[in-house]
Amino acid sequence: MATEDRTLLGRFLERLRERAPLLARYRNDPALFFSERGVRFFDEFERLFTDLYSLNVDKTVLLAPRGGGKTFGAALLATAFFLFRDFDVGIVAGSETQALTLFSYISEWLELKEIEGAVERLRRSDLVGVQGNRIVARTASARSIRGLHLGRGKRGALLIIDEEAEADEAVVRAARYTVRTANPPVILRSSTYHKLTGSFAELVEDHRGQGYELYRWDSFDIASGCRYECEKCPVPEFRESYCKGKAKRAEGWIDIDQIAGEWEDSSREAFEVEVMGMRPSSSGCVITPEAIDRAIVKKEAIHEVDFGRTVCYGCSGCYGGVDWGFAGMTAVVVLGVEGDTVNVLYTEAFHRLGVDAIVERLKELRERFGLREVYADSSHPFENSRLRDEGFAVWGTSSGTLGVPFVSFKEEGVAILSYLFEKDRIEIPEKHTTLIRQLRTWRRDQHGHIVKRNDHFPDALIAAMMKMKIMGVGGGRKPRLYTSSRRFF
């Protein structure tokens, strides 16, 4: 053996001897490793951590709210399996940012001074331990996971699929095979329940049939405590339907006033999905009939003034939404913001008319309302370019797409629109009969998909909701971390 090889082997053995006491101390109780460094587990995560690390459960699904600690918790599990079980760990996430965030959490633990030498090589999205085990982070794409095999029959492997609801179903299916040759394979699949279809939705609804154990928590389970008496809760719905006193016993990181603010700033469905970690509604009216009734007003939202011009009284800004169509109809809505209320100022449907006629009408509306901002669906790039050439400020994506992409924005736009209706922050004069009729017949099917039938005006409203998103209306606020002398999880 060459001198250089003997030196490398000696260093390797020395690092193993240095780590031996650490491994012996925490191998059977890895939670102690984290608790001694300021992390306290809450009940449901402790159950998940214990069941998975002990291998009593080898396939788990985690359902939790946005900002609910899913990624941080997955990092704790990955660190424990890597350090104390010598497992390979694979991370597959819906986006590169999500994958690297989880990987960075793990890296922070492995860079602690007391376990220095546990990592042989560290790169941007993968690392190798001194035992030869590794941690690899990948985005959920067929290309990124092609050829990835964990364990390879020599050791166990933990596969973490983070925010699965945002990942392609075929990619998730392929990712599950990356631990096929591990001994043993362990799987954690986690997400917020953003979509009613796809692999994660099917898993949650049939987790026992697929051999998975379900773990779940909501924002009240991880609240930082509650100073209110339940009888004096500022949000009665919390006491009756959501919290039911749990926040009084919780020792987490989300402030109860933050949760109350999210209730005020979100539609009920957005609150239940994003804050409570509940499944979205599956079918029925997109907007409840009661909310539509409250939005309909007899008064005119626009007023005639001198020189025959029509303007929005007291309006702080007018903008338009357009849903393009030729065989059906093109729907145009003009909205104005007055205080904290959105007023429907104008609606018009164009049947089998080309872009010239529609552009001329929008130019008339520009003179009439001062309309300059237009939020049109992105399905008709030529028409959107024409509007831009005529001097309208047509919203587009940072990637260069002109218009609002319904594929990615539609459900978010529906959530913002639902918020306006539920919080009584939209007014529709009763003369806009076609818009009102289409809102009343706007439905979801049994799978939760919005039915594509007579929905041109609702779609025009959805496109216009991009303006509300930019203004920060209806999207809720991301929970802030609660800081103290200890770290809670």
Side-chain angles (χ1 to χ4, degrees):
M1 181 183 296
T3 303
E4 183 179 354
D5 292 338
R6 286 196 297 269
T7 302
L8 290 174
L9 178 59
R11 290 174 182 171
F12 175 76
L13 294 174
E14 182 179 350
R15 283 198 297 270
L16 289 183
R17 287 193 295 270
E18 290 173 352
R19 293 182 64 225
L22 183 78
L23 295 176
R25 183 179 183 189
Y26 299 117
R27 187 181 297 277
N28 295 325
D29 188 9
L32 180 64
F33 173 80
F34 299 109
S35 66
E36 290 180 347
R37 288 152 183 83
V39 178
R40 185 193 303 175
F41 292 179
F42 57 92
D43 290 346
E44 184 68 351
F45 180 75
E46 183 174 14
R47 186 172 78 91
L48 167 62
F49 187 96
T50 302
D51 287 352
L52 209 58
Y53 184 82
S54 66
L55 303 182
N56 288 333
V57 176
D58 59 6
K59 295 198 295 184
T60 60
V61 52
L62 168 58
L63 176 60
R66 187 184 297 273
K70 300 183 298 296
T71 301
F72 185 73
L76 298 180
L77 278 160
T79 302
F81 272 90
F82 178 81
L83 277 180
F84 310 123
R85 280 198 174 276
D86 296 325
F87 269 44
D88 284 347
V89 178
I91 299 164
V92 177
S95 68
E96 181 182 27
T97 299
Q98 190 74 20
L100 293 179
T101 297
L102 204 165
F103 186 78
S104 69
Y105 285 153
I106 299 169
S107 300
E108 289 178 14
W109 287 112
L110 297 178
E111 289 170 357
L112 291 175
K113 183 177 180 180
E114 53 266 46
I115 56 173
E116 186 178 1
V119 177
E120 180 75 22
R121 185 183 72 240
L122 173 63
R123 293 188 295 203
R124 181 170 179 262
S125 60
D126 67 88
L127 59 85
V128 177
V130 295
Q131 297 279 34
N133 56 331
R134 57 186 178 140
I135 299 179
V136 183
R138 295 285 187 269
T139 55
S141 68
R143 180 178 180 182
S144 68
I145 64 173
R146 186 179 296 122
L148 179 61
H149 299 286
L150 303 169
R152 294 182 180 274
K154 298 183 296 184
R155 57 169 46 92
L158 169 65
L159 171 65
I160 298 171
I161 304 178
D162 197 22
E163 290 299 345
E164 180 176 332
E166 302 300 322
D168 182 81
E169 186 172 358
V171 175
V172 171
R173 186 183 306 112
R176 298 205 305 267
Y177 286 101
T178 62
V179 294
R180 189 179 188 186
T181 59
N183 183 26
V186 179
I187 300 175
L188 169 64
R189 298 163 66 179
S190 74
S191 189
T192 301
Y193 205 149
H194 293 128
K195 300 176 182 177
L196 272 167
T197 58
S199 62
F200 189 76
E202 293 174 2
L203 175 62
V204 171
E205 301 305 326
D206 186 35
H207 58 276
R208 293 200 180 280
Q210 296 186 37
Y212 283 76
E213 185 73 19
L214 174 66
Y215 302 82
R216 64 191 309 165
W217 58 78
D218 60 49
S219 291
F220 293 104
D221 292 307
I222 52 178
S224 58
C226 182
R227 64 181 180 278
Y228 300 104
E229 295 299 325
C230 290
E231 295 75 16
K232 299 179 181 179
C233 180
V235 183
E237 288 87 349
F238 287 180
R239 180 181 65 247
E240 298 161 5
S241 304
Y242 300 115
C243 175
K244 300 180 181 179
K246 288 193 296 184
K248 301 291 287 185
R249 304 183 297 273
E251 295 182 296
W253 61 91
I254 300 181
D255 190 279
I256 195 69
D257 289 332
Q258 178 69 36
I259 303 175
E262 289 162 341
W263 170 260
E264 292 297 326
D265 292 346
S266 307
S267 67
R268 179 181 291 271
E269 176 154 330
F271 178 85
E272 290 184 343
V273 171
E274 304 291 350
V275 181
M276 295 301 297
M278 298 167 63
R279 74 190 301 272
S281 61
S282 59
S283 61
C285 299
V286 178
I287 308 294
T288 64
E290 296 79 10
I292 296 172
D293 290 341
R294 294 196 306 270
I296 299 171
V297 294
K298 294 183 180 298
K299 70 175 184 178
E300 292 291 332
I302 52 178
H303 303 264
E304 297 292 335
V305 295
D306 293 340
F307 309 111
R309 287 170 56 86
T310 305
V311 298
C312 176
Y313 176 73
C315 181
S316 61
C318 300
Y319 58 98
V322 179
D323 179 56
W324 296 108
F326 182 79
M329 71 164 67
T330 290
V332 172
V333 298
V334 178
L335 307 177
V337 181
E338 183 179 354
D340 63 354
T341 301
V342 175
N343 294 299
V344 175
L345 308 179
Y346 182 88
T347 62
E348 185 171 359
F350 300 84
H351 298 274
R352 294 186 174 277
L353 290 177
V355 66
D356 291 339
I358 298 170
V359 166
E360 287 305 310
R361 180 53 53 86
L362 288 173
K363 289 165 70 174
E364 292 176 13
L365 297 176
R366 181 164 59 194
E367 292 299 314
R368 187 175 174 187
F369 294 106
L371 173 67
R372 286 176 174 80
E373 288 184 64
V374 176
Y375 296 81
D377 80 79
S378 62
S379 63
H380 287 54
F382 171 78
E383 285 81 353
N384 289 336
S385 295
R386 175 70 185 279
L387 287 180
R388 183 185 57 187
D389 293 342
E390 294 290 342
F392 290 97
V394 181
W395 186 89
T397 67
S398 59
S399 63
T401 300
L402 203 58
V404 178
F406 272 22
V407 171
S408 59
F409 180 71
K410 185 162 187 173
E411 284 297 339
E412 187 176 2
V414 169
I416 296 172
L417 186 62
S418 298
Y419 162 80
L420 294 177
F421 275 96
E422 290 177 13
K423 305 301 182 183
D424 298 329
R425 290 183 56 179
I426 185 169
E427 292 187 351
I428 308 173
E430 60 184 357
K431 68 178 182 178
H432 298 294
T433 55
T434 305
L435 166 62
I436 294 169
R437 182 176 67 254
Q438 290 189 1
L439 285 171
R440 290 194 186 281
T441 59
W442 204 20
R443 291 287 191 275
R444 293 183 185 271
D445 63 21
Q446 66 271 24
H447 301 295
H449 301 298
I450 293 177
V451 178
K452 285 297 298 176
R453 184 171 63 245
N454 296 326
D455 61 348
H456 297 286
F457 276 111
D459 278 354
L461 283 175
I462 289 173
M465 289 304 102
M466 182 60 77
K467 172 73 170 180
M468 293 289 99
K469 178 181 179 180
I470 294 169
M471 295 172 63
V473 175
R477 294 189 293 269
K478 185 175 180 179
R480 65 177 176 83
L481 291 179
Y482 177 77
T483 58
S484 68
S485 58
R486 293 179 60 86
R487 297 172 66 183
F488 292 92
F489 188 72

